[in-house]
Structure formats: C-alpha cells, structure tokens
Amino acid sequence: MKKSIISLMGTLAMMLLASCGSPSTGSWVSYSGDRQVERRVDSVLQLMTLEEKIGQMTQFSANWSITGPVMSDDFKPYLEKGLIGSIFNATSVEGIRRMQQIAVDSTRLGIPILFGQDVIHGYKTIFPIPLAEACSWDLEMMRRTAEIAAIEAASDGINWTFAPMVDIGRDARWGRVMEGAGEDPYLGSRVAEARVAGFQGGVDGKALVEVHTLLATGKHLAAYGAAEAGRDYHTAELSEHTLRNVYLPPYEAAAKAGVGTFMASFNEINGVPATGDRWLMTDILRGEWGFRGFVVSDYTGVNELVPHGFAEDEQHAAELAVHAGIDMDMTGATFIKNLTQSVEEGKVPEQTIDNAARRILEMKFLLGLFDDPYRYLNEERARKNSMTPEFMETARKAVAASVVLLKNEDNLLPIPKETEATLALVGPLMNDSINLNGEWAGLGDRNKSVPILKGLTEKYKDSAVKLIYAEGSSIDETTPARIAEAVSAARRADIVVAAVGESYHWSGEAAVRTDIRLPEAQRQLLGALKETGKPIVLVNLSGRPLDLSREEEEMDAILQAWFPGTQGGHGIADVIAGDYNPSARLVMSFPRNVGQLPIYYNRKNTGRPVDLNDERVDYKSNYLDSSITPLYPFGYGLSYTTYVISDLALDKSSMKAVDDRITVTATVQNSGEREGEMVVQLYVRDLVGSVTRPVKELKGFQKIALKAGESRQVTFELRAEDLAFYGIDMKKKTEPGNFTLWVAQSSDDNGNEATFSIE
Ligand code: NOJ
C-alpha cells in the first residue's frame, strides 16, 4: 500500500513536470535564464522538502574508477529516498537504467538523476590525449572529437562529462598536463571553446536537448596547474595579476562558450582552498563572467577543507563550500549529512540551498531529462554510434595531426613505401596496445588499440620496406640479452625505429614525476642502438613533455607521439611513411632538464635579462649549468616541407585603445617539395605596462594548407581589446604604449618583426 502511494505521488509529480511543456530547444550557447525553464523549476522546487533539495546537491560515485578515498557510504538508501542529484562512474548501461528507474518510479517526486563520467578524450573511440590534440592547433578537429565522444557516451546513459580540463600547464612534472591544452592562455581559451561546443552541441545553434549532447564541465577552477613544484593537489601561490592574466582566461572562455558546469579545483590559491573560495566561485565566476550553470566540487573536495586547515569539521566545511558557491558535493556526502542542520541552526540561509538546487534542476530540464529520463539510454543508438568507420577515420587523422616532428636530420623521415630498406622496429612501446590510450580513456578497450608495430606492418605490407622486430626492453626493465637481441636486429637493418616512453599510469591524476627523462632501461637500450651507427628514428609516447636532451643529441629523428588512442599505430605509421606530412606544433615547452621547470615562452623579462646568444654572463638571470631556453619551444614543430614567412605589413602603425584594430598581413610560402599544413602564429610584446608584461604573447593563429611552392597571404585582425590585461588597478584594459609584433613559425622565431603603438 505504502509503495503504491509513493509511486502514485511520483507519477503525479512527473505529470506535473511533464505538463510544463517539452524541453527547451534553445542552445547552450544562447542559454541565459530561460523564463520557461525557470518557471518549471519553480514548480518542482515548491514540492520539495529541504532535505530533497540538499539531495539534489549530492553526487555519489558508482565506484568504477576511484580517484580518491573510497566512501564507505552505500548510496542506495539515499537513492531510494530521492536524496541524490547525480551519480558518476556508473559504467553498466543496465545499472544506469536501474538507478534511474528507482529515482523516477520509486521516490516521492521522481526527479531523474544526472549521470556523470570522465569522458575526457573519447568514450569508446579514444582520441589522442587532450594535450596531444591541442598540438594540432585544429579547433574544428577538437570540436568534432569531443562531439564524437558525446555521441558515443550519450547512448550509454551518460549525460554529463567532467571535461574539458582547461588548466594552464607550465610544469611538466605535473601529470595532469596531459588533460589540458598546454601553457598558453590564448590557445587554451580557443581550445576550451571548441571542446565545450563539441561536447554540448550548439555550435551552429543546435538544440541542447539533442541526444548527443553531454553537459560539459570547465575544470578545475582555478589554477590547479600552478601547484608548487608540480606536485598534485599542492598549494598555488600566485599574484592576482598572474591568476587573471594567465590562469583564468580559459575558464572564462569556457563560461562564455556556455559551459553548463564548473568543477572546483583541489588546490588552495593564496591561502584559500578553491572549494571554499567565494571570491572565485561567486564573485568572479557568476558576478564577472555571468555564469548561470552549477558548480560541482572535486572528489571529496569539500571534506578536504578540513585537512587543508580551512574548516573545523565536515559540517563547517559544507557550510563554507555552499557559501562559496559550490552547488554539488562530489562523493563526500558532507552536504546531505550536514546542511539540513546548518539551515535549521540559521548558519546557511535556505535561499542558498534553493539557488543551488534550482541550478541543478535547470540543467536536468535543459538536458531533457524531465521529458524523458531514459533519453540518454538507447541500445540501438549505442550499437549504431559506437566506433563507426567514420569515428575511426577521424581518430586516425587526429593521431597524425597531433604527432610533433621534433628533429629530422638529413631528412631521415619520411620512409616512403618505395624505400628499399629494412627497418628494425624496437622499444617497449612498439608492440604495445595497453598504454596507447593514455589515462582517462573512458571505456576505450585497451586491447583494441592499434600497436605501432601493427600500423607499420600494415603500412609496409607488399612494399619495398622490410621489417624486423625485437623489443629490447620493457618500460623500465631490461637485460643484456634483450638489448643484444635489439642490437642484432639493428645491425641487420638500415634504419632503426624505436618506440619508447612512459607507462600511461605515469601521467594523469596523482602521477607526478621528479625525473622526466626516459627510464634508465630505455636509455641503456638507446645507447646500445646508437653504437651500431645505424640512423635512429625515435617515437616518444608520453603524457607530458620529457627531458629529451640526450635523445636530441643522439637520435637522428624524433617524433613526439604522446598517447595517441585507438588508432595510434595507424596514425603514427601514416606520419612515418609520409602519407601525412606532420603539421603539429608544441603547446608546452620541452625543458632541457627538470631543473628548468616551470618553463614557458610567455615569461617575464626580469631586470637583468640574459642575452640568449651569450648566456654565460655574470649577474644576469641565467643558470650556471644550463641555458634558460627550452630544448623545444612552444609553437615549434617541423614538417617534411619548409615554409618561409615574408612581407609582414601593418595597415597602420598606431591605433586607439578602444574599438580599433590593426590589420596584419604576411606572405607564407611552402618552399619545399611537398604539400603541407602550417600553423602561422601571431605574437605580440607590450613593451611597458603598469605591471610588467610577458616577453611574448600569442594573439592569433591560422592553420593553412599549402601545396609545394604555393604562397598565400594571411591576414590577422588585431583588435585593441586583444591587448587588454589586468594592470596595476586590477582592471582589464588596453594600456597605451609601444608594441612589437611577430608573425612566426614558433615562439622563438623572430624573423618577421614589426612595431606599432596604442595611442
Ligand atoms: C578527481 C579529478 O580531479 C577530476 O578531474 C575528476 O573529474 C574526478 N576525480 C571524477 O573522477
């Protein structure tokens, strides 16, 4: 009898909700407080008890992929009482259906659950890690791979992804640099927009209720990448200027692109843990950027306010977090266990709870969950839309477009099929599929990823190129006998191709390294191969820039292939054989040694800048034992052809500080013998500021395709507002003064320089 009353009430509530009309058809991008949605949310809120509202602010993990302490609470009793807003890491489609059924049919109000997951660089079809994809500088490609991830996941019951990660990464020790777009705020912002558009849809005004929409998350707000010494979860101490001018722009870009949610970062910033930082989560995020979605904590981030030394106990932590602007507690159960009491004691206004619950319910409406709680569960769609030939093709192209050619002595690469040569294929990652997907690889089947050996074998089948294989070492172990086997293969070959690098576990969350060289076993292997005198092509797979100083000296060609995903072997083979001409450019500086970290191109000049042509001068800002320059700079990458930039011209030499622009043109020529794509980069230096300005800042880029010998004029519109920054008064504006500008092939290319001024 009791059960039927509950389910009747549930049905009534659902009818009431459904009668509010069909879901919004506005787009994410244009969503800014849809009155119709607000009215519907009001009608639900009126029915809810305080505890039910706090329930909406509660998220539990289905404990598939644990990224923190396992919570002892079994969440089922909460689910049955309608006290859960979201569940994440539920990977069984049947499980999701069952949980949704409980929420919808057996709870008092029948409010559907939001199902989240870390769909970071693919769901079943795994694309290159985000850092790798960013090296393509191909925004449309990144939009599309995010969209494909959404299409695949949104059939399996998932409707919310914890991506894109938009943290600036300047320190390669930090394992999470693999998840972001590198060190640059401008590029990071453009990539953030592309990925938000891809996950959520709406780039062309599409409705956000389309079934391949995933609610996206801008994370981790903020400055998680500024963790001291690259140690995960560590303290970030940085000036408000650096925070605003360097770290915040990609989050702001995600907010402006209509991202539905944000995730708070684990770190403290200048003494205040982000999860308890009202200035960040409310004043900046909502006040300055106009964000209207909801904010989720990171995994037990609210509980962690206690060990941070910011809250006395978990009740205090919950109060601080909700006051700061955290709307949903991930996994920690601090809200559901404490906030009812906090409201009753007058420590938290009920209005604060209403606001948070409202924001969460709004997203559920916008996702169409009140219309059909099962709309993201569709076996038929899942079958049709998973790992399709088109997705495989996109993934293969994404691999090739992400591989950065770092060195190519004597044009050792490419090795076309017609080459009469034997290749010795060696190294721990040559015949490996398990590592290829990298970390955060969703449901990607690691056994299905294409090893490089397989890619090369298929590529050179029935061709003049012959292959022999000997592993030589595992990732961090080898023996003299294994090395001897690889050396013997090298001796019988004309060229060695060695696939080396990191284990995929060595990057991602809680995966920090203080030594970022190749492991000793692999260095021994490469040393022995070098002694054979055979030319060596190094293919490096890693989730971060490594210190490749020794390899730069000893290897003949180097390809940085990151963790390439499902189609890894094929995409890399396309590059090696020259069927794809490398076009990727680094988005993070590669250091010469770990002691240089953090290292980034947009550094400050200092009062004692060192002359880069003669660094060994006393009392300058230099090192005694190293250059200050990176081994490979931001924006750098070679190609199988060459390019020349010339004829840099500005339509005027000065502009006003507001509402004005300068048109910059330059000619780019493909001066080599094969077709290729070139990333033309526009950098600016603001010579004097009310706070000091970086020696260079990226302000624009274009990726253009050029046939052999072809020339093309590129045009950039540099607006005065593109030069705005937070100055001494912490207001964002463009300051008058003189500027230098470069149109360049990389951040250290000063060949085409011009000057202009702001009146
Ligand atoms: C912790 C990570 O920091 C965050 O990025 C991730 O989304 C959550 N765990 C959920 O897995």
Side-chain angles (χ1 to χ4, degrees):
M1 178 63 187
K2 188 165 170 247
K3 195 161 188 289
S4 64
I5 290 174
I6 291 171
S7 68
L8 177 64
M9 288 175 72
T11 313
L12 282 174
M14 282 305 292
M15 280 166 58
L16 179 72
L17 301 175
S19 72
C20 297
S22 57
S24 163
T25 49
S27 88
W28 285 111
V29 179
S30 66
Y31 174 68
S32 60
D34 181 328
R35 267 308 295 153
Q36 224 192 343
V37 171
E38 278 171 10
R39 269 200 299 274
R40 285 181 236 157
V41 171
D42 280 341
S43 70
V44 183
L45 269 177
Q46 277 164 23
L47 300 172
M48 294 173 81
T49 64
L50 174 62
E51 207 189 14
E52 282 166 342
K53 291 176 201 164
I54 298 170
Q56 286 303 305
M57 299 162 65
T58 298
Q59 183 188 50
F60 282 103
S61 166
N63 289 349
W64 158 62
S65 157
I66 308 298
T67 57
V70 179
M71 302 312 289
S72 54
D73 294 298
D74 179 358
F75 61 82
K76 218 166 149 232
Y78 292 102
L79 178 63
E80 285 165 349
K81 284 193 225 146
L83 298 179
I84 290 188
S86 170
I87 293 172
F88 73 110
N89 281 344
T91 50
S92 131
V93 175
E94 252 335 287
I96 293 180
R97 189 182 297 281
R98 250 181 291 123
M99 289 188 269
Q100 193 69 299
Q101 255 158 11
I102 295 175
V104 170
D105 295 339
S106 313
T107 67
R108 201 178 74 87
L109 292 174
I111 298 176
I113 301 273
L114 204 51
F115 286 96
Q117 205 179 112
D118 289 287
V119 180
I120 307 290
H121 54 111
Y123 179 67
K124 287 184 180 157
T125 306
I126 302 302
F127 300 100
I129 56 170
L131 182 65
E133 273 196 354
C135 290
S136 72
W137 299 56
D138 184 339
L139 300 174
E140 170 49 25
M141 186 195 86
M142 287 182 257
R143 188 202 65 78
R144 179 62 182 154
T145 60
E147 184 172 61
I148 290 174
I151 291 171
E152 287 187 341
S155 301
D156 266 6
I158 314 296
N159 35 49
W160 180 16
T161 176
F162 307 133
M165 188 272 225
V166 302
D167 304 326
I168 294 291
R170 293 175 152 191
D171 192 327
R173 289 171 293 186
W174 191 50
R176 302 204 75 167
V177 296
M178 63 145 289
E179 297 167 53
E183 70 192 40
D184 186 65
Y186 176 82
L187 179 63
S189 300
R190 303 294 80 78
V191 173
E193 290 158 0
R195 289 187 167 140
V196 168
F199 285 127
Q200 294 192 163
V203 71
D204 48 6
K206 271 185 270 169
L208 58 118
V209 291
E210 282 190 10
V211 279
H212 57 75
T213 290
L214 290 186
L215 182 60
T217 308
K219 74 184 189 186
H220 308 79
L221 192 65
Y224 187 23
E228 276 178 7
R231 178 148 64 80
D232 213 356
Y233 317 121
H234 203 7
T235 310
E237 275 289 325
L238 71 172
S239 71
E240 190 178 336
H241 289 114
T242 302
L243 180 69
R244 286 185 178 274
N245 289 327
V246 179
Y247 286 87
L248 292 188
Y251 309 104
E252 182 175 0
K256 300 266 160 71
V259 75
T261 72
F262 270 93
M263 187 185 292
S265 58
F266 283 123
N267 55 288
E268 66 161 75
I269 306 161
N270 303 335
V272 181
T275 310
D277 194 340
R278 186 175 166 84
W279 174 68
L280 195 59
M281 297 298 163
T282 299
D283 298 350
I284 294 183
L285 180 61
R286 296 190 185 281
E288 294 182 24
W289 302 345
F291 173 68
R292 298 188 49 95
F294 73 85
V295 182
V296 65
S297 78
D298 203 341
Y299 198 110
T300 60
V302 181
N303 316 59
E304 290 168 29
L305 293 178
V306 178
H308 265 297
F310 193 70
E312 276 162 24
D313 53 28
E314 288 189 356
Q315 172 152 9
H316 188 204
E319 288 162 7
L320 289 170
V322 81
H323 173 71
I326 305 294
D327 302 302
M328 185 181 278
D329 175 359
M330 181 186 281
T331 328
T334 62
F335 285 4
I336 195 67
K337 286 182 182 166
N338 299 292
L339 286 184
T340 304
Q341 190 185 336
S342 300
V343 171
E344 282 162 7
E345 287 171 357
K347 291 186 186 145
V348 172
E350 187 156 359
Q351 188 60 49
T352 305
I353 305 294
D354 281 0
N355 290 345
R358 174 192 308 276
R359 292 175 189 135
I360 294 160
L361 291 172
E362 268 179 12
M363 286 302 153
K364 294 187 177 186
F365 268 107
L366 288 165
L367 284 162
L369 287 170
F370 279 102
D371 184 47
D372 174 6
Y374 305 101
R375 69 201 314 268
Y376 292 86
L377 281 157
N378 188 316
E379 278 83 357
E380 164 78 36
R381 217 170 55 223
R383 256 194 314 279
K384 242 180 40 208
N385 281 336
S386 149
M387 301 187 88
T388 67
E390 187 226 322
F391 297 175
M392 292 298 119
E393 191 50 33
T394 305
R396 181 173 182 155
K397 283 194 190 137
V399 176
S402 305
V403 172
V404 190
L405 178 63
L406 297 175
K407 180 176 181 184
N408 196 16
E409 203 147 288
D410 301 328
N411 293 329
L412 179 58
L413 287 173
I415 309 168
K417 289 180 209 142
E418 306 74 47
T419 317
E420 298 213 345
T422 298
L423 310 186
L425 307 181
V426 303
L429 291 156
M430 181 55 76
N431 193 22
D432 172 271
S433 62
I434 301 302
N435 286 289
L436 292 190
N437 287 0
E439 265 295 359
W440 295 118
L443 257 61
D445 183 344
R446 293 186 182 273
N447 294 305
K448 282 196 187 147
S449 296
V450 181
I452 302 173
L453 181 63
K454 185 169 180 213
L456 290 171
T457 306
E458 284 187 21
K459 176 66 72 184
Y460 291 121
K461 198 167 83 184
D462 303 326
S463 82
V465 178
K466 302 290 166 245
L467 306 174
I468 38 181
Y469 168 67
E471 190 185 42
S473 95
S474 58
I475 286 182
D476 49 9
E477 278 175 10
T478 190
T479 60
R482 290 171 82 183
I483 291 184
E485 203 192 338
V487 166
S488 147
R491 290 221 170 91
R492 285 178 281 135
D494 304 293
I495 302 170
V496 180
V497 181
V500 299
E502 298 185 302
S503 153
Y504 81 89
H505 288 304
W506 296 1
S507 57
E509 188 179 351
V512 180
R513 296 182 68 199
T514 58
D515 181 350
I516 55 168
R517 292 172 302 174
L518 286 172
E520 181 55 29
Q522 298 184 47
R523 286 156 63 86
Q524 278 176 21
L525 172 65
L526 294 178
L529 292 168
K530 173 77 187 160
E531 279 174 23
T532 64
K534 297 292 166 84
I536 307 176
V537 176
L538 193 79
V539 182
N540 185 54
L541 282 79
S542 58
R544 55 161 64 74
L546 295 186
D547 163 4
L548 295 177
S549 306
R550 187 176 125 174
E551 291 69 30
E552 162 66 25
E553 256 173 48
E554 297 185 349
M555 302 292 114
D556 301 274
I558 304 178
L559 284 172
Q560 174 61 32
W562 310 105
F563 288 115
T566 308
Q567 287 289 299
H570 288 317
I572 292 170
D574 289 342
V575 173
I576 291 178
D579 293 339
Y580 183 89
N581 186 359
S583 63
R585 298 286 183 275
L586 294 179
V587 296
M588 258 189 101
S589 308
F590 272 50
R592 294 175 189 277
N593 51 65
V594 77
Q596 287 186 316
L597 298 177
I599 188 167
Y600 42 91
Y601 84 96
N602 46 357
R603 61 189 165 81
K604 300 294 186 68
N605 201 37
T606 81
R608 294 191 176 190
V610 69
D611 176 355
L612 295 180
N613 298 312
D614 179 15
E615 292 190 58
R616 295 279 82 74
V617 179
D618 241 357
Y619 301 103
K620 293 286 186 187
S621 182
N622 58 3
Y623 293 115
L624 289 177
D625 54 359
S626 168
S627 164
I628 68 158
T629 63
L631 185 64
Y632 307 116
F634 175 86
Y636 169 80
L638 302 172
S639 150
Y640 298 151
T641 185
T642 46
Y643 303 96
V644 178
I645 300 177
S646 61
D647 306 330
L648 173 60
L650 275 51
D651 70 335
K652 53 190 186 203
S653 60
S654 104
M655 66 172 152
K656 295 194 287 291
V658 234
D659 286 339
D660 205 354
R661 61 182 60 207
I662 286 180
T663 304
V664 181
T665 52
T667 304
V668 183
Q669 190 199 5
N670 179 344
S671 49
E673 276 155 25
R674 63 166 67 212
E675 170 170 14
E677 280 178 288
M678 155 78 173
V679 180
V680 193
Q681 303 159 40
L682 175 74
Y683 294 94
V684 159
R685 177 170 180 182
D686 183 349
L687 297 185
V688 178
S690 63
V691 296
T692 60
R693 309 295 300 128
V695 293
K696 245 178 208 185
E697 289 178 282
L698 184 74
K699 291 293 174 191
F701 64 89
Q702 289 175 35
K703 190 165 187 176
I704 57 167
L706 290 171
K707 299 218 163 41
E710 187 184 346
S711 286
R712 170 118 42 99
Q713 193 180 61
V714 291
T715 304
F716 293 96
E717 295 291 338
L718 184 65
R719 299 167 309 164
E721 67 201 75
D722 298 332
L723 303 167
F725 65 98
Y726 289 88
I728 194 72
D729 57 0
M730 213 52 84
K731 299 223 166 68
K732 190 173 181 189
K733 56 176 181 284
T734 307
E735 295 183 358
N738 296 322
F739 292 75
T740 310
L741 172 151
W742 299 264
V743 173
Q745 305 204 34
S746 90
S747 63
D748 69 343
D749 168 13
N750 298 325
N752 288 275
E753 185 178 302
T755 56
F756 68 93
S757 62
I758 303 269
E759 290 155 20

